Amino acid sequence: MSDQRDAAGMAAFSICEALLLALQDRNLLPEREIVGILRDAAATHENAQDPEDERKLHGAAAKLINEIIIGGNLSQRS
């Protein structure tokens, strides 16, 4: 089940990233709005009130989202 969950998470991540990039490329959302969406997503994970093992997963998700924001991956892609 863990492999399926990992694959589902990776697929969801890729789809969301592609959607955000397409919205930015077509000037439908400015970068500041996309960063706001990412910050909201990170905050949701940071504030999760699940059991300890789930909070670790939420913490890892928040860290990844924050690294995307800090790294500026949206504007620095090829």
Side-chain angles (χ1 to χ4, degrees):
M1 186 70 164
S2 179
D3 288 342
Q4 186 176 8
R5 183 175 176 174
D6 291 345
M10 185 180 287
F13 181 83
S14 296
I15 291 166
C16 289
E17 180 183 25
L19 286 170
L20 290 173
L21 292 172
L23 289 169
Q24 183 182 24
D25 286 346
R26 286 160 183 79
N27 295 317
L28 296 172
L29 280 179
E31 186 172 353
R32 72 178 186 283
E33 293 288 336
I34 293 171
V35 169
I37 291 168
L38 294 172
R39 285 188 176 137
D40 288 346
T44 297
H45 288 289
E46 290 166 347
N47 296 319
Q49 298 296 315
D50 293 337
E52 181 65 27
D53 60 331
E54 291 293 317
R55 283 196 305 257
K56 288 180 184 179
L57 181 59
H58 283 291
K63 182 176 186 278
L64 176 60
I65 295 167
N66 285 317
E67 287 172 356
I68 290 168
I69 294 168
I70 291 167
N73 292 347
L74 290 170
S75 61
Q76 296 177 4
R77 65 186 195 282
S78 53

Coordinates of all heavy atoms in Angstrom, one line a residue:
M1 N 0.8 -1.2 0.0 CA 0.0 0.0 0.0 C 0.9 1.3 0.0 O 0.5 2.2 -0.6 CB -0.9 0.0 1.2 CG -1.9 1.1 1.3 SD -3.1 0.8 0.0 CE -4.4 1.9 0.5
S2 N 2.0 1.2 0.6 CA 2.9 2.4 0.7 C 3.4 2.8 -0.7 O 3.5 4.0 -1.0 CB 4.1 2.1 1.6 OG 4.9 3.2 1.6
D3 N 3.7 1.8 -1.5 CA 4.2 2.1 -2.9 C 3.1 2.8 -3.7 O 3.3 3.7 -4.4 CB 4.6 0.8 -3.6 CG 5.9 0.3 -3.1 OD1 6.7 1.0 -2.4 OD2 6.2 -0.9 -3.3
Q4 N 1.9 2.3 -3.5 CA 0.7 2.9 -4.2 C 0.5 4.3 -3.7 O 0.2 5.2 -4.5 CB -0.5 2.1 -4.0 CG -1.7 2.6 -4.8 CD -2.9 1.7 -4.7 OE1 -2.9 0.8 -3.9 NE2 -3.9 1.9 -5.5
R5 N 0.7 4.5 -2.4 CA 0.5 5.9 -1.8 C 1.6 6.8 -2.3 O 1.3 8.0 -2.7 CB 0.5 5.8 -0.3 CG 0.3 7.1 0.4 CD 0.2 6.9 1.8 NE 0.1 8.2 2.5 CZ -0.1 8.3 3.8 NH1 -0.2 7.3 4.6 NH2 -0.2 9.5 4.3
D6 N 2.8 6.3 -2.4 CA 3.9 7.1 -2.9 C 3.7 7.5 -4.4 O 3.9 8.6 -4.8 CB 5.2 6.4 -2.8 CG 5.7 6.2 -1.4 OD1 5.2 6.9 -0.5 OD2 6.6 5.4 -1.1
A7 N 3.2 6.5 -5.2 CA 3.0 6.8 -6.6 C 1.8 7.8 -6.8 O 1.9 8.7 -7.6 CB 2.6 5.5 -7.3
A8 N 0.8 7.7 -5.9 CA -0.3 8.6 -6.0 C 0.1 10.0 -5.6 O -0.3 11.0 -6.3 CB -1.5 8.1 -5.1
G9 N 1.0 10.1 -4.6 CA 1.5 11.4 -4.2 C 2.4 12.0 -5.3 O 2.3 13.2 -5.6
M10 N 3.2 11.2 -5.9 CA 4.1 11.7 -7.0 C 3.2 12.2 -8.2 O 3.5 13.2 -8.8 CB 5.1 10.6 -7.4 CG 6.1 11.1 -8.4 SD 7.2 9.9 -8.9 CE 8.2 9.8 -7.4
A11 N 2.2 11.4 -8.5 CA 1.3 11.8 -9.6 C 0.6 13.1 -9.3 O 0.5 14.0 -10.2 CB 0.4 10.7 -9.9
A12 N 0.1 13.2 -8.1 CA -0.7 14.4 -7.7 C 0.3 15.6 -7.8 O -0.1 16.7 -8.2 CB -1.3 14.2 -6.4
F13 N 1.5 15.5 -7.3 CA 2.4 16.5 -7.3 C 2.7 17.0 -8.7 O 2.7 18.2 -9.0 CB 3.7 16.1 -6.6 CG 4.8 17.1 -6.5 CD1 4.8 18.1 -5.5 CD2 5.8 17.1 -7.4 CE1 5.7 19.1 -5.4 CE2 6.8 18.1 -7.4 CZ 6.8 19.1 -6.4
S14 N 3.0 16.1 -9.6 CA 3.3 16.4 -11.0 C 2.1 17.1 -11.7 O 2.3 18.1 -12.4 CB 3.7 15.1 -11.8 OG 4.8 14.6 -11.2
I15 N 0.9 16.6 -11.4 CA -0.2 17.2 -12.0 C -0.4 18.7 -11.5 O -0.6 19.6 -12.3 CB -1.5 16.4 -11.8 CG1 -1.4 15.1 -12.5 CG2 -2.8 17.1 -12.1 CD1 -2.4 14.0 -12.1
C16 N -0.3 18.8 -10.2 CA -0.5 20.2 -9.7 C 0.6 21.1 -10.1 O 0.3 22.3 -10.5 CB -0.5 20.1 -8.1 SG -2.0 19.4 -7.5
E17 N 1.8 20.7 -10.2 CA 2.9 21.5 -10.7 C 2.6 21.9 -12.1 O 2.8 23.1 -12.5 CB 4.2 20.8 -10.6 CG 5.4 21.6 -11.1 CD 6.7 20.8 -11.1 OE1 6.7 19.6 -11.1 OE2 7.8 21.5 -11.0
A18 N 2.2 21.0 -13.0 CA 1.9 21.3 -14.4 C 0.8 22.3 -14.5 O 0.9 23.2 -15.3 CB 1.6 20.0 -15.1
L19 N -0.2 22.1 -13.7 CA -1.3 23.1 -13.7 C -0.9 24.5 -13.3 O -1.3 25.5 -13.9 CB -2.5 22.6 -12.8 CG -3.3 21.4 -13.3 CD1 -4.2 20.9 -12.2 CD2 -4.1 21.8 -14.5
L20 N -0.1 24.6 -12.2 CA 0.3 25.9 -11.8 C 1.2 26.6 -12.8 O 1.1 27.8 -13.1 CB 1.1 25.8 -10.4 CG 0.2 25.5 -9.2 CD1 1.0 25.2 -8.0 CD2 -0.8 26.6 -9.0
L21 N 2.1 25.8 -13.4 CA 3.0 26.3 -14.5 C 2.2 26.8 -15.7 O 2.5 27.8 -16.3 CB 4.0 25.3 -14.9 CG 5.1 25.0 -13.8 CD1 5.9 23.8 -14.2 CD2 5.9 26.2 -13.4
A22 N 1.2 26.0 -16.1 CA 0.3 26.4 -17.2 C -0.5 27.7 -16.9 O -0.6 28.5 -17.8 CB -0.6 25.3 -17.5
L23 N -1.0 27.8 -15.7 CA -1.7 29.0 -15.3 C -0.7 30.2 -15.4 O -1.1 31.3 -15.8 CB -2.3 28.9 -13.9 CG -3.4 27.9 -13.8 CD1 -3.8 27.7 -12.3 CD2 -4.6 28.5 -14.5
Q24 N 0.5 30.0 -14.9 CA 1.5 31.1 -15.0 C 1.8 31.4 -16.4 O 1.9 32.6 -16.8 CB 2.7 30.8 -14.2 CG 3.7 31.9 -14.1 CD 5.0 31.6 -13.4 OE1 5.3 30.4 -13.2 NE2 5.7 32.6 -12.9
D25 N 2.1 30.4 -17.2 CA 2.5 30.6 -18.6 C 1.5 31.4 -19.4 O 1.8 32.1 -20.3 CB 2.8 29.3 -19.3 CG 4.1 28.6 -18.8 OD1 4.9 29.3 -18.2 OD2 4.3 27.4 -19.1
R26 N 0.2 31.1 -19.1 CA -0.9 31.7 -19.9 C -1.3 33.0 -19.2 O -2.4 33.6 -19.6 CB -2.0 30.7 -20.0 CG -1.7 29.7 -21.1 CD -2.5 28.4 -20.9 NE -2.1 27.4 -21.9 CZ -1.0 26.6 -21.7 NH1 -0.2 26.7 -20.7 NH2 -0.7 25.7 -22.6
N27 N -0.6 33.5 -18.3 CA -0.9 34.8 -17.6 C -2.3 34.8 -16.9 O -2.9 35.8 -16.9 CB -0.7 36.0 -18.5 CG 0.8 36.1 -18.9 OD1 1.7 36.0 -18.1 ND2 1.0 36.4 -20.2
L28 N -2.7 33.6 -16.5 CA -4.0 33.5 -15.8 C -3.8 33.8 -14.3 O -4.8 34.2 -13.7 CB -4.6 32.1 -16.1 CG -5.0 31.9 -17.5 CD1 -5.4 30.4 -17.7 CD2 -6.1 32.8 -18.0
L29 N -2.7 33.5 -13.8 CA -2.3 33.7 -12.4 C -0.9 34.3 -12.3 O 0.0 33.7 -12.9 CB -2.4 32.5 -11.5 CG -3.8 32.0 -11.0 CD1 -3.6 30.7 -10.2 CD2 -4.5 33.1 -10.2
P30 N -0.8 35.4 -11.7 CA 0.6 35.9 -11.5 C 1.4 35.1 -10.5 O 0.8 34.3 -9.7 CB 0.4 37.4 -11.0 CG -0.9 37.3 -10.4 CD -1.7 36.3 -11.1
E31 N 2.7 35.2 -10.6 CA 3.5 34.4 -9.7 C 3.2 34.6 -8.2 O 3.2 33.6 -7.4 CB 5.0 34.6 -9.9 CG 5.9 33.7 -9.2 CD 7.4 33.8 -9.5 OE1 7.7 34.5 -10.5 OE2 8.2 33.2 -8.8
R32 N 2.9 35.8 -7.8 CA 2.6 36.0 -6.4 C 1.3 35.2 -5.9 O 1.2 34.8 -4.8 CB 2.4 37.5 -6.1 CG 1.1 38.1 -6.7 CD 1.0 39.6 -6.3 NE -0.3 40.1 -6.8 CZ -0.6 40.4 -8.0 NH1 0.3 40.3 -9.0 NH2 -1.8 40.9 -8.3
E33 N 0.4 35.1 -6.9 CA -0.8 34.3 -6.5 C -0.5 32.8 -6.4 O -1.0 32.1 -5.5 CB -1.9 34.4 -7.6 CG -2.5 35.8 -7.6 CD -3.4 36.1 -6.4 OE1 -3.9 35.2 -5.8 OE2 -3.5 37.3 -6.1
I34 N 0.4 32.3 -7.3 CA 0.8 30.9 -7.2 C 1.6 30.7 -5.9 O 1.4 29.7 -5.2 CB 1.6 30.6 -8.5 CG1 0.7 30.6 -9.7 CG2 2.3 29.2 -8.3 CD1 1.4 30.5 -11.0
V35 N 2.5 31.6 -5.6 CA 3.2 31.5 -4.3 C 2.2 31.5 -3.1 O 2.4 30.7 -2.2 CB 4.3 32.6 -4.2 CG1 4.8 32.6 -2.8 CG2 5.4 32.4 -5.2
G36 N 1.2 32.3 -3.2 CA 0.1 32.3 -2.1 C -0.5 30.9 -2.0 O -0.8 30.5 -0.9
I37 N -0.8 30.3 -3.1 CA -1.4 29.0 -3.1 C -0.5 28.0 -2.5 O -0.9 27.2 -1.6 CB -1.8 28.5 -4.6 CG1 -2.9 29.4 -5.2 CG2 -2.1 27.0 -4.6 CD1 -3.1 29.2 -6.7
L38 N 0.8 28.1 -2.8 CA 1.8 27.2 -2.2 C 1.9 27.4 -0.7 O 2.0 26.5 0.1 CB 3.1 27.3 -2.9 CG 3.1 26.9 -4.4 CD1 4.5 27.2 -5.0 CD2 2.9 25.4 -4.5
R39 N 1.9 28.7 -0.3 CA 2.0 29.0 1.1 C 0.8 28.4 1.9 O 0.9 27.9 3.0 CB 2.1 30.5 1.3 CG 3.5 31.0 1.0 CD 3.7 32.4 1.4 NE 5.1 32.8 1.1 CZ 5.4 34.0 0.6 NH1 4.5 34.9 0.3 NH2 6.7 34.2 0.3
D40 N -0.4 28.6 1.3 CA -1.6 28.0 1.9 C -1.5 26.5 2.1 O -1.9 26.0 3.1 CB -2.9 28.4 1.1 CG -3.3 29.9 1.2 OD1 -2.7 30.6 2.1 OD2 -4.1 30.3 0.4
A41 N -1.0 25.9 1.0 CA -0.9 24.4 1.1 C 0.1 24.0 2.2 O -0.1 23.1 2.9 CB -0.4 23.9 -0.3
A42 N 1.2 24.7 2.2 CA 2.2 24.4 3.3 C 1.7 24.6 4.7 O 1.8 23.8 5.6 CB 3.5 25.3 3.1
A43 N 0.9 25.7 4.8 CA 0.3 26.0 6.2 C -0.7 24.9 6.6 O -0.7 24.5 7.7 CB -0.4 27.3 6.1
T44 N -1.4 24.4 5.6 CA -2.4 23.3 5.9 C -1.6 22.1 6.5 O -2.0 21.5 7.5 CB -3.1 22.9 4.6 OG1 -3.9 24.0 4.2 CG2 -4.0 21.7 4.9
H45 N -0.5 21.8 5.9 CA 0.3 20.6 6.4 C 1.0 21.0 7.7 O 1.0 20.1 8.6 CB 1.3 20.2 5.3 CG 0.7 19.5 4.1 ND1 0.2 18.3 4.2 CD2 0.6 20.0 2.9 CE1 -0.2 17.9 3.0 NE2 0.0 19.0 2.2
E46 N 1.4 22.2 7.8 CA 2.1 22.6 9.1 C 1.1 22.5 10.3 O 1.6 22.3 11.4 CB 2.7 24.0 8.9 CG 3.9 24.0 8.0 CD 4.3 25.4 7.6 OE1 3.6 26.3 7.8 OE2 5.4 25.5 7.0
N47 N -0.1 22.8 10.0 CA -1.1 22.9 11.1 C -1.9 21.6 11.3 O -2.9 21.6 12.0 CB -2.0 24.1 10.8 CG -1.3 25.4 10.9 OD1 -0.4 25.6 11.7 ND2 -1.6 26.3 10.0
A48 N -1.5 20.5 10.6 CA -2.3 19.3 10.7 C -2.3 18.8 12.1 O -1.3 18.8 12.8 CB -1.7 18.2 9.8
Q49 N -3.4 18.3 12.5 CA -3.6 17.7 13.9 C -3.8 16.2 13.9 O -4.5 15.7 14.8 CB -4.9 18.4 14.5 CG -4.7 19.9 14.7 CD -3.6 20.3 15.6 OE1 -3.5 19.8 16.7 NE2 -2.8 21.3 15.2
D50 N -3.2 15.6 13.0 CA -3.3 14.1 12.9 C -2.4 13.4 13.9 O -1.6 14.1 14.6 CB -2.9 13.7 11.5 CG -3.9 14.2 10.4 OD1 -5.0 14.5 10.8 OD2 -3.5 14.3 9.3
P51 N -2.5 12.1 14.0 CA -1.6 11.3 14.9 C -0.1 11.6 14.5 O 0.2 12.0 13.4 CB -2.0 9.9 14.6 CG -3.4 9.9 14.1 CD -3.5 11.2 13.4
E52 N 0.8 11.3 15.4 CA 2.2 11.6 15.2 C 2.8 11.1 13.9 O 3.5 11.8 13.2 CB 3.0 11.0 16.4 CG 4.5 11.3 16.4 CD 4.9 12.8 16.5 OE1 4.1 13.6 17.1 OE2 5.9 13.2 15.9
D53 N 2.5 9.9 13.5 CA 3.1 9.3 12.3 C 2.6 10.1 11.1 O 3.3 10.3 10.1 CB 2.8 7.8 12.1 CG 1.3 7.5 12.1 OD1 0.5 8.2 12.7 OD2 1.0 6.5 11.5
E54 N 1.4 10.6 11.1 CA 0.8 11.4 10.0 C 1.4 12.8 10.0 O 1.6 13.4 9.0 CB -0.7 11.4 10.1 CG -1.4 10.1 9.7 CD -1.2 9.7 8.3 OE1 -1.3 10.5 7.4 OE2 -0.9 8.5 8.0
R55 N 1.7 13.3 11.2 CA 2.2 14.7 11.3 C 3.6 14.7 10.7 O 4.0 15.7 10.1 CB 2.3 15.2 12.8 CG 0.9 15.6 13.3 CD 1.0 16.4 14.5 NE 1.7 15.8 15.6 CZ 1.1 15.2 16.6 NH1 -0.2 15.2 16.8 NH2 1.8 14.6 17.6
K56 N 4.4 13.6 10.8 CA 5.7 13.6 10.2 C 5.6 13.7 8.7 O 6.4 14.4 8.1 CB 6.4 12.3 10.6 CG 6.9 12.3 12.0 CD 7.6 11.0 12.4 CE 7.9 10.9 13.8 NZ 8.6 9.7 14.2
L57 N 4.6 13.0 8.1 CA 4.4 13.1 6.7 C 3.9 14.5 6.3 O 4.4 15.0 5.3 CB 3.3 12.1 6.3 CG 3.0 12.0 4.8 CD1 4.2 11.6 4.0 CD2 1.9 10.9 4.6
H58 N 3.1 15.1 7.1 CA 2.6 16.5 6.8 C 3.8 17.4 6.9 O 4.0 18.3 6.1 CB 1.6 16.9 7.8 CG 0.2 16.3 7.5 ND1 -0.5 16.7 6.4 CD2 -0.5 15.4 8.2 CE1 -1.7 16.1 6.5 NE2 -1.7 15.3 7.5
G59 N 4.7 17.2 7.9 CA 5.9 18.1 8.0 C 6.8 17.9 6.8 O 7.3 19.0 6.3
A60 N 6.9 16.7 6.3 CA 7.8 16.5 5.1 C 7.1 17.2 3.9 O 7.8 17.8 3.1 CB 8.0 15.0 4.9
A61 N 5.8 17.1 3.8 CA 5.1 17.8 2.7 C 5.3 19.3 2.8 O 5.6 20.0 1.8 CB 3.6 17.4 2.7
A62 N 5.1 19.9 4.0 CA 5.3 21.3 4.2 C 6.7 21.7 3.8 O 6.9 22.8 3.2 CB 4.9 21.7 5.6
K63 N 7.7 21.0 4.2 CA 9.1 21.3 3.9 C 9.3 21.3 2.4 O 10.0 22.2 1.9 CB 10.0 20.2 4.6 CG 11.5 20.5 4.4 CD 12.3 19.5 5.2 CE 13.8 19.8 5.2 NZ 14.4 19.3 4.0
L64 N 8.8 20.3 1.7 CA 8.9 20.3 0.3 C 8.3 21.5 -0.4 O 8.9 22.1 -1.3 CB 8.3 19.0 -0.3 CG 8.3 18.8 -1.8 CD1 9.8 18.8 -2.3 CD2 7.7 17.5 -2.2
I65 N 7.1 21.8 0.0 CA 6.4 23.0 -0.6 C 7.2 24.3 -0.3 O 7.4 25.1 -1.2 CB 5.0 23.1 0.0 CG1 4.1 21.9 -0.5 CG2 4.3 24.4 -0.5 CD1 2.8 21.8 0.2
N66 N 7.7 24.4 0.9 CA 8.5 25.6 1.3 C 9.8 25.7 0.5 O 10.2 26.8 0.1 CB 8.7 25.7 2.8 CG 7.5 26.1 3.5 OD1 6.7 27.0 3.1 ND2 7.2 25.5 4.6
E67 N 10.4 24.5 0.2 CA 11.6 24.5 -0.6 C 11.3 25.0 -2.0 O 12.1 25.6 -2.7 CB 12.2 23.1 -0.6 CG 12.9 22.8 0.8 CD 13.4 21.4 0.9 OE1 13.2 20.6 0.0 OE2 14.0 21.1 1.9
I68 N 10.2 24.6 -2.5 CA 9.8 25.0 -3.9 C 9.6 26.5 -3.9 O 10.1 27.2 -4.8 CB 8.5 24.3 -4.3 CG1 8.7 22.9 -4.6 CG2 7.9 25.0 -5.6 CD1 7.4 22.0 -4.7
I69 N 9.0 27.1 -2.9 CA 8.8 28.5 -2.8 C 10.2 29.2 -2.7 O 10.4 30.2 -3.5 CB 7.9 28.9 -1.6 CG1 6.5 28.4 -1.7 CG2 7.9 30.4 -1.4 CD1 5.7 28.5 -0.5
I70 N 11.0 28.8 -1.8 CA 12.3 29.4 -1.6 C 13.2 29.3 -2.8 O 13.9 30.2 -3.2 CB 13.0 28.8 -0.3 CG1 12.3 29.2 0.9 CG2 14.5 29.2 -0.3 CD1 12.7 28.4 2.2
G71 N 13.1 28.1 -3.4 CA 14.0 27.9 -4.6 C 13.5 28.6 -5.8 O 14.3 28.7 -6.8
G72 N 12.3 29.1 -5.8 CA 11.8 29.9 -7.0 C 11.7 29.0 -8.2 O 11.9 29.5 -9.3
N73 N 11.4 27.7 -8.1 CA 11.3 26.8 -9.2 C 10.3 27.2 -10.2 O 10.5 26.9 -11.4 CB 11.0 25.4 -8.7 CG 12.1 24.8 -7.9 OD1 13.2 25.3 -7.9 ND2 11.8 23.7 -7.2
L74 N 9.3 28.0 -9.9 CA 8.3 28.4 -10.9 C 8.8 29.3 -11.9 O 8.5 29.2 -13.1 CB 7.1 29.0 -10.2 CG 6.3 28.0 -9.3 CD1 5.2 28.8 -8.5 CD2 5.6 27.0 -10.2
S75 N 9.7 30.2 -11.5 CA 10.2 31.2 -12.5 C 11.5 30.9 -13.1 O 12.0 31.5 -14.0 CB 10.2 32.6 -11.8 OG 11.1 32.5 -10.7
Q76 N 12.2 29.8 -12.5 CA 13.5 29.5 -13.0 C 13.6 28.2 -13.7 O 14.6 27.5 -13.7 CB 14.5 29.5 -11.8 CG 14.6 30.8 -11.1 CD 15.5 30.8 -9.9 OE1 16.1 29.8 -9.6 NE2 15.6 31.9 -9.2
R77 N 12.6 27.8 -14.4 CA 12.6 26.5 -15.1 C 13.0 26.8 -16.5 O 13.0 27.8 -17.1 CB 11.2 25.8 -15.0 CG 10.1 26.6 -15.7 CD 8.8 26.0 -15.5 NE 7.8 26.5 -16.4 CZ 7.2 27.6 -16.3 NH1 7.5 28.4 -15.3 NH2 6.3 28.0 -17.2
S78 N 13.4 25.7 -17.2 CA 13.8 25.8 -18.6 C 12.7 25.6 -19.5 O 11.7 25.1 -19.2 CB 15.0 24.9 -18.9 OG 14.6 23.6 -18.5

